[in-house]
Amino acid sequence: MATNGIQYSERYYDDVYEYRHVVLPQDIAKRLPKDKLLSEAEWRALGVQQSRGWVHYARHRPEPHMLFRRPKGYGTAQQVAVPMQQ
């Protein structure tokens, strides 16, 4: 799926999370802050469109990839409890 040059991966999973990565065109990628992850409002303002619950948890440098995750089964009765991180 591609919108405004933004490319979205298929979802992939582990035992706790579902993941996807988003590839930004260079004109959008150059607007990303270098030192922080984006809130939902911030990545939506860049034009990234996804359903609710996704959290920007990493960048894959040097490529313009944003990595997102959310609890497996988000928004359903089958949602997996996410372990507390210490």
Side-chain angles (χ1 to χ4, degrees), residues 1 7-14 17-22 44 49-54 68-76:
M1 173 169 77
Q7 298 177 12
Y8 300 84
S9 75
E10 295 295 322
R11 297 175 187 172
Y12 45 100
Y13 305 86
D14 65 15
Y17 292 104
E18 66 179 310
Y19 301 90
R20 78 178 332 172
H21 60 272
V22 174
R44 287 192 186 279
Q49 298 177 5
Q50 303 187 93
S51 54
R52 297 177 62 104
W54 292 101
F68 290 89
R69 70 180 179 196
R70 68 180 177 184
K72 194 172 178 181
Y74 177 84
T76 70

Side-chain angles (χ1 to χ4, degrees), residues 9-81:
S9 75
E10 295 295 322
R11 297 175 187 172
Y12 45 100
Y13 305 86
D14 65 15
D15 292 339
V16 179
Y17 292 104
E18 66 179 310
Y19 301 90
R20 78 178 332 172
H21 60 272
V22 174
V23 182
L24 302 173
Q26 287 299 323
D27 62 319
I28 295 174
K30 67 183 176 186
R31 297 182 358 221
L32 284 175
K34 303 264 189 261
D35 58 346
K36 72 175 218 136
L37 300 174
L38 302 184
S39 68
E40 182 173 347
E42 291 170 320
W43 55 257
R44 287 192 186 279
L46 291 174
V48 175
Q49 298 177 5
Q50 303 187 93
S51 54
R52 297 177 62 104
W54 292 101
V55 175
H56 178 213
Y57 78 96
R59 285 185 58 194
H60 187 269
R61 293 184 183 128
E63 293 88 2
H65 295 194
M66 296 177 70
L67 305 176
F68 290 89
R69 70 180 179 196
R70 68 180 177 184
K72 194 172 178 181
Y74 177 84
T76 70
Q78 291 81 26
Q79 182 172 335
V80 173

